[in-house]
Each structure stands twice: as C-alpha cells, then as structure tokens.
Amino acid sequence: MSTTASVEEQKREESVAVPLPTNSSSSTTVNAFPHEEKHTRHSDIVRDVIIGFSDGLTVPFALTAGLSS
C-alpha cells in the first residue's frame, strides 16, 4: 500500500508544462496538475476571532453614532 501511495505522490510532484493556445506571439504554459490548497485546522478559531473583532468594533461605533445624533 505504501508503494501505491509513493507512486501517486511522485505523479503529483512532477510538473508537466502544457502550452495554452494563444493568439499572441508569447507562449504561456500551465501546470497540468490541479492546484492543491493547504488549509489550517484552526478555521473555527480564526472565524470566531474575525467575527468577534468586527463585532467588537461595530457595536461601540454604532452606539456612539446613535448617541451622538
């Protein structure tokens, strides 16, 4: 099973340049393998921090704007 996994990893690591059809004289190439994004495991914490920070800034501003008018 590890042999199959290592073969698949090698296939992903190899980059194959494929020329794109263009109308201009410059040649453009693209990687044939899809882009893999690496995500963090802390997405819940980051989301809570961002929402809490925006809420912490919005509420005092809205309260101040409401009381000043």
Side-chain angles (χ1 to χ4, degrees):
M1 186 165 163
S2 64
T3 307
T4 306
S6 64
V7 171
E8 290 176 5
E9 288 175 9
Q10 287 176 355
K11 285 182 183 178
R12 274 189 240 138
E13 289 176 2
E14 295 174 1
S15 70
V16 177
V18 177
L20 292 176
T22 59
N23 294 335
S24 64
S25 61
S26 65
S27 64
T28 306
T29 57
V30 66
N31 193 354
F33 296 106
H35 173 74
E36 277 189 41
E37 294 184 7
K38 296 179 182 176
H39 296 277
T40 179
R41 295 182 185 152
H42 307 293
S43 61
D44 293 338
I45 296 170
V46 172
R47 183 187 62 223
D48 290 343
V49 167
I50 291 172
I51 291 172
F53 185 72
S54 67
D55 189 42
L57 289 176
T58 305
V59 170
F61 176 75
L63 182 66
T64 305
L67 291 175
S68 66
S69 63

